[in-house]
Amino acid sequence: MVEHQRRERSERPEPGGPAPLSPALFEDPDCAARPQPVRVFGGKWTAVVLRCLEDGRSRRFTELRVPLHWITPKVLTETLRAMERDGLLSRTEYDENPPRVEYALTALGRSLIGPLDVACGWARAHGPEVTRARESYDTESP
């Protein structure tokens, strides 16, 4: 019942309160043409691939699979392709037998290491609070 009251209250603007959000909030025509940060950095496994390549060395697929053993080869391939498409990493094919392919971060990809460090620092500092909030929510929710 409390949840229903909260939802009902939030749908009606309070007199003198903030203006309601516009349905066109994200319809800026200039934004549609630009890549959104959530799309660029939003891949579930992008951050861990960044960590694997942050030392500046090129890595083969099989080398990446060692620390990322819980990611299926298919999903890792999709992640690498998406990162290459976004310009975060380069893929170099060598004409050898057997063929060799290596991945390395581009300058754009390396520019994400700083923000990733900040996000990781925030997670370390506030992880216990998030855990407590989740436990509290889970025990109070139906």
Side-chain angles (χ1 to χ4, degrees), residues 3 7 25 32 41 60 83 93 99 102 119 136-137:
E3 184 64 32
R7 267 190 269 128
L25 183 64
F41 198 65
R60 296 178 75 170
M83 291 176 70
E93 292 182 45
E102 293 182 345
S136 174
Y137 181 89

Side-chain angles (χ1 to χ4, degrees), residues 57-132:
R57 295 182 52 206
S58 295
R59 302 285 181 174
R60 296 178 75 170
F61 185 87
T62 53
E63 289 179 279
L64 295 171
R65 288 275 301 137
V66 173
L68 304 176
H69 55 88
W70 65 88
I71 303 174
T72 66
K74 178 184 181 277
V75 171
L76 181 56
T77 298
E78 291 169 352
T79 300
L80 293 168
R81 284 182 184 159
M83 291 176 70
E84 181 183 10
R85 181 177 182 257
D86 290 337
L88 302 178
L89 60 78
S90 63
R91 179 180 187 271
T92 305
E93 292 182 45
Y94 296 92
D95 189 22
E96 298 175 354
N97 193 8
R100 179 170 52 114
V101 176
E102 293 182 345
Y103 300 90
L105 289 182
T106 61
L108 183 61
R110 284 190 302 278
S111 74
L112 279 172
I113 297 298
L116 181 59
D117 289 342
V118 171
C120 289
W122 183 92
R124 278 190 296 277
H126 298 286
E129 293 171 68
V130 172
T131 299
R132 285 192 299 275

Side-chain angles (χ1 to χ4, degrees), residues 19-36:
L21 294 173
S22 167
L25 183 64
F26 297 104
E27 293 179 10
D28 180 354
D30 292 334
C31 277
R34 292 193 309 254
Q36 301 298 311

